[in-house]
Amino acid sequence: MTDRIKQFLADNREDGPRLVVDLDVVRDNYRSFADALPDTRVFYAVKANPAPEILSLLAGLGSCFDTASVAEIELALAAGASPDRVSFGNTIKKEKDIARAFALGVRLYAVDCGAEVEKVARAAPGSKVFCRILCDGAGAEWPLSRKFGCAPDMAADVLERAHALGLVAHGLSFHVGSQQRNPRMWNRALQVSAGIFRDLAERGIQLAMLNLGGGFPTRYLKRVAPVQTYGQSIFRALRRHFGNRIPETIIEPGRGMVGDAGIIEAEVVLISKKSQQDHVRWVYLDIGKFNGLAETMDEMIRYPIRTDCDAEALGPCVLAGPSCDSVDVLYEKDPYLLPVTLEIGAKVLIEGTGAYTTTYSTVGFNGFAPLKSYVI
Ligand SMILES: *Cc1c(COP(=O)(O)O)cnc(C)c1O
C-alpha cells in the first residue's frame, strides 16, 4: 500500500467498503508501458476503471483509449482525448451506436465477422477497421473464451470484405487473456498474425496495424514478471515473425494499468464455524461478489488481504460476502489463510483492486450500496 493511501484512510475514517486509487501508481504504470514498448501506442482499456480522474490523467500523459460503448467514448472525450485517440474496440455494436461514435469523430473500429463489417461500412463509412482473431486464453487467470474474434483463416476474408465496402482494412487484434502470466503467449498470436498479413498482401491489401490487446498482469498473490519482460518478449516475437517490416503496434492494458493502484478497505462482519469440531472458520466481509469483488467468480482472481494482525498464526478460512445469495462466497475450494486472532469489526485491506471492481458492482443487490471509490 502506498503512503498516500495509508494517509487517506487514516485521515478519512468511514464505514462501509471503499476503494482508494492512487494516481501516482497509475502514472508510473503508464510510463512503464511506454518505456517497455517504446514504439507502441497505449490504448487504456476504459472498462478496467473508468473513473474520470484516471482518464484525465492518462489523457494528459498522451494515452489513447480502448472503449466498448458510446458511454465510454463520451467519458474518454470528456477526459480530454481527441476522437482520433479513441478506438471502438468492442466487436459487438449496435449500428446506431456505431453511427453515434462516427458522429463523435471516432474512426477506428473492431470487427470479427462480415455482418459487423457491413454495419460499420453503413454507419461509419471510410473508417479504419481491425479484425480480431481468436486466441485460446491458455496461461491466463481470467481467460476470454470464444466470445470475441474469428478463426485466423476467416480474418483475411473479413478484412477483404471491409476493403470492398470502402473501409480501410487497417489491421488485426487479439487478446491473450486477462492476467496473462506467461509473457511468451503473444508469440503464437503474432506468428498467426504475420500469416494473415502475408495472405492479405497477396490479395493486394497492405495491413498497417497490429493491436496486441491487454492481458498484462497485476501483482496479486503470485509473482508476475515486470512489464519490461513482456515488452522484450513481444518485441522479440515481432522481430521473429515480421522481420524488419514490423507494423504499427498498439496495446490495450486495463488491469496492468490500474490494478495495483487501488486498495479496498473492508470490514469483518462475522466470524463463525459450521460445527463445534470444524477447524475452518467462515469469515464474512462487508464486500463480496455483488459489491465489488466479482472477479472472485470461480475463485479466479485471488486478492492479497492484509490485516492488523498479520504477524500472528494463520488458520484456514472460507471467505464470503455479506449478501443473502449463496453464490456470494469468495474463496472456499481453496481456503484462505487469515490470522487466528482476527476479530469481528476488524478492518482488512484488499490489495490489487484498482481494476474491475467499481463498475463490476451491482446497483444495490440486497440493499448493499455500489462500491464507493476515491481517486487521490
Ligand atoms: C478488456 C479488454 C482489454 C483489457 O484487458 P486487460 O486484461 O485488463 O489488460 C483490452 N482490450 C480489449 C478489447 C478488452 O476487451
Side-chain angles (χ1 to χ4, degrees), residues 45 47-48 66 89 132 175 177-179 213-216 252-256 356:
K47 73 170 186 285
D66 165 52
R132 180 150 169 187
H175 195 302
S178 202
Q179 187 69 7
F216 304 92
E252 299 174 329
R255 188 187 305 279
Y356 303 121

Side-chain angles (χ1 to χ4, degrees), residues 217-268:
T218 201
R219 174 77 202 263
Y220 296 115
L221 284 169
K222 294 181 198 151
R223 280 206 163 281
V224 295
V227 66
Q228 289 84 337
T229 306
Y230 283 77
Q232 284 158 8
S233 180
I234 288 171
F235 184 72
R236 275 198 302 270
L238 282 166
R239 272 257 171 276
R240 189 174 307 132
H241 302 298
F242 289 88
N244 56 7
R245 300 174 65 183
I246 296 178
E248 173 198 340
T249 50
I250 70 177
I251 51 171
E252 299 174 329
R255 188 187 305 279
M257 188 74 83
V258 292
D260 65 347
I263 294 236
I264 287 173
E265 183 190 61
E267 185 181 317
V268 177

Side-chain angles (χ1 to χ4, degrees), residues 56-195:
S56 303
L57 170 79
L58 290 172
L61 291 170
S63 186
C64 303
F65 297 90
D66 165 52
T67 62
S69 60
V70 172
E72 284 190 357
I73 292 169
E74 287 170 341
L75 282 173
L77 298 177
S82 48
D84 61 326
R85 283 163 61 191
V86 174
S87 157
F88 201 162
N90 193 342
T91 52
I92 306 153
K93 304 174 284 300
K94 287 183 179 170
E95 190 165 327
K96 65 172 190 286
D97 289 344
I98 300 171
R100 180 86 187 110
F102 188 70
L104 289 168
V106 176
R107 297 291 181 268
L108 183 60
Y109 297 85
V111 294
D112 67 1
C113 66
E116 192 72 14
V117 165
E118 282 166 26
K119 284 192 237 168
V120 177
R122 283 190 298 267
S127 293
K128 293 176 176 169
V129 292
F130 55 90
C131 184
R132 180 150 169 187
I133 54 173
L134 278 169
C135 195
D136 80 358
E141 296 191 355
W142 188 267
L144 296 171
S145 79
R146 290 173 55 79
K147 182 171 174 187
F148 313 100
C150 64
D153 61 5
M154 183 172 136
D157 292 341
V158 170
L159 287 168
E160 192 171 37
R161 178 103 186 100
H163 179 77
L165 291 176
L167 294 166
V168 178
H170 191 49
L172 296 175
S173 76
F174 56 82
H175 195 302
V176 295
S178 202
Q179 187 69 7
Q180 175 54 262
R181 294 182 55 236
N182 183 355
R184 286 187 299 276
M185 282 309 295
W186 276 261
N187 180 57
R188 173 91 189 112
L190 287 171
Q191 180 183 14
V192 169
S193 301

